[in-house]
Amino acid sequence: MSGTEAKAAIEVPSDPLAGHPATAYFWGHVAGSGTVSDERIEVVTNDEESAQVLAAVAGGDLEHETTTRDYAHDTSITRTEDEYTLSIGGDENAGLLGRSGALGLPVDGRGNYRFGAFASHDRELLRGLLEGCGTICFKSSSGTVGISFVHDDRELLEFARELIAACPVEAPVDDLLETSSGGYWFGVDDAAAPDFGTWLYEDCEGTGLFAPSRRRKLEQSLEQADAYDE
């Protein structure tokens, strides 16, 4: 799907800072796997279609490369995957989302995000966060679906835990733990993961605000868990 097709498929607000499902999804991704400086925003995703949607929401340039990196939970394990980087800014004439710098964006000088404008779109914000810094897997040892969030920013993960606590499905979460790489992570209770994951991706087809590969991973994990119980 091209950037033009992505933009045609979703409703895109005129202001990328306005409270809107698309902007909530975008800034969730930025917080989960992006960086913001005075000159540039960069956000990384492993899903090409999701990258095109993010570009449709906020503009910018996309680059694709194949990377090998340590697994967040265990640095002794590496994985190779496609990586799409969306870069916004760097053009003195265009500015940074129409602004001269990071001032006015939903992130302060210390890197802390302010999500108040997107409070009515928590599901899209949380979906962007999961796709930016979360994992979905099938746990063969227990036959359950695992959903977890991993990030270096403890406060961001605390915020994600608050969003999950406020969502309409009951989804207990673990306490924050340190990863072997020096960051933090928490998981959704395995018993609640199917309902939580289903709610998170419910009706997303109609908006286009999702990573198809991540939704397929959820569906495959749910199918494996169902088969395990038979």
Side-chain angles (χ1 to χ4, degrees), residues 8 13 16 20 30 34 36 42 51 59-60 77 84 87 101 116 133 146 156 162 166 171 182-183 188 196 211 217 220:
H20 188 279
V30 174
V36 180
E42 288 192 350
I77 302 174
Y84 300 88
S87 299
C133 66
L156 180 65
E162 292 173 5
V188 176
F196 172 71
K217 181 65 175 178
Q220 291 166 358

Side-chain angles (χ1 to χ4, degrees), residues 91-168:
D91 186 336
E92 293 183 2
N93 295 322
L96 188 64
L97 298 182
R99 290 151 179 81
S100 60
L103 186 64
L105 302 184
V107 56
D108 64 23
R110 298 171 297 162
N112 298 317
Y113 287 87
R114 301 186 297 265
F115 294 117
F118 317 117
S120 298
H121 312 290
D122 283 354
R123 179 156 55 179
E124 289 81 10
L125 179 59
L126 191 53
R127 190 186 307 141
L129 279 169
L130 176 68
E131 293 178 359
C133 66
T135 60
I136 299 171
C137 67
F138 171 69
K139 298 181 179 181
S140 57
S141 60
S142 58
T144 57
V145 176
I147 296 178
S148 61
F149 292 74
V150 185
H151 204 278
D152 290 339
D153 186 342
R154 184 185 183 98
E155 291 186 10
L156 180 65
L157 293 185
E158 291 284 12
F159 175 72
R161 293 172 81 248
E162 292 173 5
L163 285 181
I164 295 172
C167 80

Side-chain angles (χ1 to χ4, degrees), residues 50-123:
S50 177
Q52 295 287 3
V53 168
L54 297 175
V57 173
D61 299 313
L62 273 175
E63 293 186 0
H64 170 234
E65 62 180 349
T66 302
T67 63
T68 300
R69 65 178 69 246
D70 294 336
Y71 187 62
H73 293 302
D74 185 348
T75 55
S76 67
I77 302 174
T78 60
R79 58 183 179 182
T80 300
E81 56 193 5
D82 288 321
E83 187 171 279
Y84 300 88
T85 302
L86 174 65
S87 299
I88 302 166
D91 186 336
E92 293 183 2
N93 295 322
L96 188 64
L97 298 182
R99 290 151 179 81
S100 60
L103 186 64
L105 302 184
V107 56
D108 64 23
R110 298 171 297 162
N112 298 317
Y113 287 87
R114 301 186 297 265
F115 294 117
F118 317 117
S120 298
H121 312 290
D122 283 354
R123 179 156 55 179

Side-chain angles (χ1 to χ4, degrees), residues 122-123 126-127 167-169 194-202:
D122 283 354
R123 179 156 55 179
L126 191 53
R127 190 186 307 141
C167 80
V169 297
D195 286 344
F196 172 71
T198 299
W199 167 79
L200 195 61
Y201 281 89
E202 187 178 26

